[in-house]
Amino acid sequence: MYKFKPILKSMLWGGEKIIPYKRIVSDQKQVGESWELSGVKGNESVVAEGPEAGTTLPELIARHGAALLGRANFERFGEEFPLLIKFIDARQDLSIQVHPNDKLAWERHQSKGKTEMWYVVAADEGAHLRSGFAKQVTPAEYAASVEDNTITDLLTDYAIHPGDVFFLPAGRVHSIGAGAFIAEIQQTSDITYRIYDFNRRDANGNTRELHTELAKEAIDYTVLPDYRTHYTPAPNNEVELVSCPYFTTSLLDLTEARTLDLSTLDSFLVAICIEGAGTLRDNSGETVAVHQGETVLIPASTSQMHFTPDGSMKILTSCIR
């Protein structure tokens, strides 16, 4: 099992919640994102402790291969870790954006697309986010709404609360709103088309680059009645939240010990502690203490995983089935 050093990203819109939430020491300000587990080039995670401390995630995969990723994942992705795990703290509204699908991302950038999901860890009073179109629009109407600053009127705006889940397939227009604190699980891709940024300026008076035209072809204009992901909480049981070709994510809300049988799972398992604390122990007896804000990578060779809370603990698990 592996813990990694967080990669902290200061952002124009970032807040001050991530550092205390993760219980780490840092003078960095306006930390909008903590990249918990990343194989993105130039932002590779580094093992934080244990005999392989200092090893990057790609080096770890090169060393352990299918034993770490799973046989099918290793054949499919090679030494590229297929998921990017983040915490996001929005002090201001993030830009309205969209991500291309695999086909378009490869044609334009020789990269994978970006399907993702959000789990709301915490939310200030009045916190919100936007996901999907509220009504049918044409590409021309979309472009005109950006030009005249009315794009927000076309999107579905949700008040959010801890435990809310949103699945965001590539092509869905979205924006994280002020006051949202979110765990994000996504494909390994850093391609974002920024559609609208509320005409904000940085400390030097500059606006950020927009990709309004690039986004036009990437957007899925389908309108749905509800863009939230609904699930039924089941304390001390594994509750599946999202299952797609890119990841399967479940929630463990524990007040008592729970064992997961991983013997038939041909995949790594990512365990993201979003609340509380406890201990993780695998079938070989290796144990790792974990608390809120920490993420653990469990190798595919693990056949059983025991989760023991210290009172209570909430864990998001993610793998590729």
Side-chain angles (χ1 to χ4, degrees):
M1 290 184 283
Y2 302 96
K3 289 183 182 179
F4 296 83
K5 297 177 182 178
I7 301 169
L8 303 179
K9 303 273 189 179
S10 292
M11 301 291 192
L12 183 67
W13 43 262
E16 306 297 338
K17 296 174 183 173
I18 284 177
I19 288 168
Y21 172 77
K22 289 181 59 61
R23 303 178 188 173
I24 57 178
V25 177
S26 174
D27 294 329
Q28 197 166 332
K29 301 298 183 184
Q30 285 184 247
V31 176
E33 298 182 352
S34 174
W35 290 24
E36 297 292 295
L37 193 52
S38 168
V40 174
K41 287 184 179 179
N43 289 277
E44 295 90 348
S45 292
V46 175
V47 178
E49 58 189 48
E52 295 183 274
T55 306
T56 67
L57 184 53
E59 290 169 344
L60 207 62
I61 297 169
R63 187 175 300 166
H64 299 288
L68 181 65
L69 286 190
R71 186 181 65 258
N73 288 333
F74 190 53
E75 290 173 357
R76 181 178 170 191
F77 300 106
E79 293 177 12
E80 179 183 54
F81 192 73
L83 298 182
L84 174 57
I85 310 296
K86 302 178 182 179
F87 288 113
I88 298 175
D89 172 23
R91 182 176 54 86
Q92 301 175 8
D93 286 358
L94 274 66
S95 61
I96 295 171
Q97 54 191 240
V98 73
H99 309 295
N101 61 24
D102 287 341
K103 182 176 182 293
L104 189 60
W106 186 256
E107 289 173 359
R108 289 179 172 177
H109 312 283
Q110 287 71 58
S111 172
K112 293 182 175 62
K114 188 171 173 183
T115 285
E116 60 190 356
M117 68 164 286
W118 296 330
Y119 180 95
V120 179
V121 177
D124 294 345
E125 186 175 352
H128 69 110
L129 57 79
R130 299 179 177 94
S131 179
F133 286 110
K135 59 183 179 181
Q136 196 67 56
V137 299
T138 66
E141 288 169 334
Y142 142 76
S145 75
V146 174
E147 189 68 28
D148 66 12
N149 300 303
T150 60
I151 180 70
T152 56
D153 297 339
L154 302 182
L155 302 176
T156 308
D157 198 316
Y158 291 95
I160 54 171
H161 306 90
D164 287 350
V165 173
F166 290 80
F167 176 59
L168 302 156
R172 183 166 295 168
V173 178
H174 59 273
S175 172
I176 297 173
F181 191 100
I182 282 171
E184 181 176 88
I185 297 158
Q186 59 164 86
Q187 284 178 271
T188 290
S189 170
D190 204 26
I191 298 174
T192 294
Y193 295 152
R194 189 181 297 118
I195 292 171
Y196 183 71
D197 199 35
F198 305 96
N199 300 312
R200 277 184 292 214
R201 297 183 181 272
D202 63 19
N204 298 317
N206 299 316
T207 57
R208 294 197 293 175
E209 181 184 5
L210 300 180
H211 312 100
T212 310
E213 283 301 311
L214 278 174
K216 189 184 290 184
E217 189 181 346
I219 290 171
D220 179 354
Y221 294 90
T222 305
V223 176
L224 299 180
D226 188 0
Y227 296 95
R228 291 170 293 192
T229 296
H230 297 276
Y231 66 97
T232 302
N236 298 310
N237 287 290
E238 186 180 25
V239 178
E240 186 176 286
L241 304 178
V242 169
S243 183
C244 70
Y246 305 108
F247 50 80
T248 297
T249 300
S250 300
L251 174 66
L252 287 169
D253 183 358
L254 303 177
T255 55
E256 58 189 47
R258 172 79 185 189
T259 298
L260 295 186
D261 181 2
L262 308 178
S263 59
T264 61
L265 179 65
D266 181 30
S267 173
F268 61 87
L269 188 72
V270 180
I272 310 159
C273 186
I274 54 174
E275 188 177 306
T279 303
L280 277 58
R281 178 170 55 87
D282 67 16
N283 48 281
S284 71
E286 181 185 359
T287 61
V288 171
V290 66
H291 61 68
Q292 73 175 33
E294 290 190 315
T295 299
V296 178
L297 176 59
I298 300 163
S301 56
T302 305
S303 61
Q304 271 195 337
M305 182 57 55
H306 308 277
F307 298 84
T308 304
D310 294 341
S312 64
M313 174 171 65
K314 285 185 182 178
I315 296 273
L316 291 176
T317 65
S318 205
C319 62
I320 299 177
R321 295 193 182 277

